[in-house]
Amino acid sequence: MPVISQWGRYVTDLISNTKELFKIRFLRNVLLVAVIGSLSISLVERFVIYPMFSSYLVSITEDDARRIARHLALDVDVESGALTVDSIPESFLYASDLLLETFGLRKLKIFSPAGETLFSTDSEDMGVINEKAYFHQSVAKGSIYTVVVQKEEMTAEDQVATADVVETYVPLMNPNGDFAGAFEIYLDITERWSALKDLMFWSALGMTMAIAMILLVLFIALTRAARITVERQKEQIKLQLAADVMANAEEGIIVTDADRRIESVNRAFFELTGYSAEEVIGKNPNFLHSGRHSKQFFISMWESIDRLGLWQGEIWNRRKDGEVFPEWLTITSIKNEKGEVANYVGMFLDISHFKVKESQLESLAYRDALTGLPNRLLVKDRLEQNLAMAKRGQSKSAVFFMDLDGFKAVNDSFGHHVGDILLQEVARRFKACIREEDTLGRLGGDEFIVCIRTIEGIREIKLIAKRLIDALAGDDLIIEGQPCSVSVSIGISIYPDDGEDAGTLIHCADLAMYAAKDSGKKRYCIYEPAMEEEASDIGSHDVDE
């Protein structure tokens, strides 16, 4: 009983003292702020920090999807209207794993306007119809639709996600502005999501510590002094948050004064350039220049910053070790209360990996998969460049259209494997017959084309034609132990005599090639206008001429 009575008096005194403490306005306010502060930490993290960084993550991932879609759209035929199965290039069908690896995708789909899956890197999705409202009400009207799906959650197509992904639908519009179909791009954001959670944790922790500091100031200062300190502390919180974001950002960040002298850089700047803060503080950032951009480029850049307060674009800079690298740079001007520029902030990302992906995509789009030679698209582009140069220099250029004689017999006798190796060997031999500035391409099957940049006259044309024919002469074409007897028939057209555009010159050279075949094969024939009316009335030339 005495013990119980003693505890009863202790509790009574505690309650009484607590009531007395609450009569002191300052302490009551402090305790109220402490309760509100504790509750605000979770609310700020949930409704401020998380949406802010989540929105940023979606934004940069959606930008990645746009860039990937623009590259992929180069290979998809939307000229004829709506996408069909025939619009999908064979390179997608036979190199789907390479597409995923090249762009770091989780999955890729291509839809028709009606929502039918025309192509998917997951074969089980082929032919499935997307009947979701977002596809027909948003994507089909030309809008990008993006959703973040965490692991084990349901995707927009009601499938369980096996990783953290951003699922983006990018519409494709035909030249008439009508909806032709859409890409569905799954980008794996597991690593970015993990980094985002870490950043949110440290941001919340920083805010918690800042609030604790505010409470401490409130306990030890007078009411008026405490209010002043709180205002200052709020500014410190903003600066600390900015410092935390800057320190943990993946982008390199440079802050300069109004005279463009560096005041601070972050850790990512050191990792991307190799320069420490001590080496660059007080310097103008122009020591990073690669030398690839003209003086006018930088004049235009700073004019944009002075006029708009912002410049954004691709630029090449130089690391400390001398390596030149591409980066995506954003420069923003920061103004003070008087409207005067106080600082410039530059943020940049190393985009070298995107350049590698662009190169790989170009190889898929513009190179023959078997021989590595330029395909029809790249040949036409190179030929148009040759014609532009010839026009400016008032010189002549030539096109050699070549078709192998006897190739079908090799395929039928020894199989396609031997035929493929033979085509590679023929390409190697033809390549050795022309100059470095000239272009050798494969149009498909056993058809090759040579674009000669400049020629002096008919004599030079005959010498080149003879070298190409002689490259396949003799009995040294042994493939996989099998003797392969092939020759080449060549048709030749000349700029500007036979035409002034790429399509006409290729057409004329093609006619001349058929004339060479009709004249006995293993020959070359120079185009004549009469070939348009009567293919047999041609001037053919024997190799020994």
Side-chain angles (χ1 to χ4, degrees), residues 359-371:
S359 177
Q360 292 172 339
L361 182 63
E362 180 181 355
S363 180
L364 286 173
Y366 297 111
R367 296 279 175 178
D368 173 51
L370 178 63
T371 63

Side-chain angles (χ1 to χ4, degrees), residues 65 76 92 96 110 115 126 168 189 206 214 225 236 295 326 346 363 416 503:
V76 177
F92 281 26
S96 58
I110 301 177
M126 296 293 288
T168 302
I189 58 166
I214 292 175
Q236 176 113 19
K295 182 179 180 180
S363 180
H416 291 285

Side-chain angles (χ1 to χ4, degrees), residues 435-446:
R435 299 167 301 188
E436 185 174 348
E437 65 264 27
D438 299 328
T439 298
L440 170 65
R442 182 184 175 214
L443 302 181
D446 58 354

Side-chain angles (χ1 to χ4, degrees), residues 85 109-120 124-136 156-159 169 184:
V85 174
K109 293 183 182 180
I110 301 177
F111 293 97
S112 71
E116 180 183 2
T117 305
L118 303 176
F119 167 79
S120 174
E124 294 182 0
D125 297 331
M126 296 293 288
V128 176
I129 305 297
N130 189 328
E131 298 179 346
K132 298 292 184 180
Y134 63 80
F135 184 89
H136 298 283
E157 296 183 332
D158 298 329
Q159 297 177 346
Y169 290 79
E184 183 183 7

Side-chain angles (χ1 to χ4, degrees), residues 410 414 418 422 472 474-480 482-486:
V410 172
F414 307 125
V418 172
L422 174 60
L472 303 184
D475 54 1
D476 60 339
L477 268 173
I478 307 297
I479 306 297
E480 298 284 299
Q482 303 295 339
C484 300
S485 177
V486 294

Side-chain angles (χ1 to χ4, degrees), residues 219 240 256 295 421 433 498:
F219 271 107
Q240 185 63 45
T256 75
K295 182 179 180 180
I421 298 176
C433 296
D498 303 325

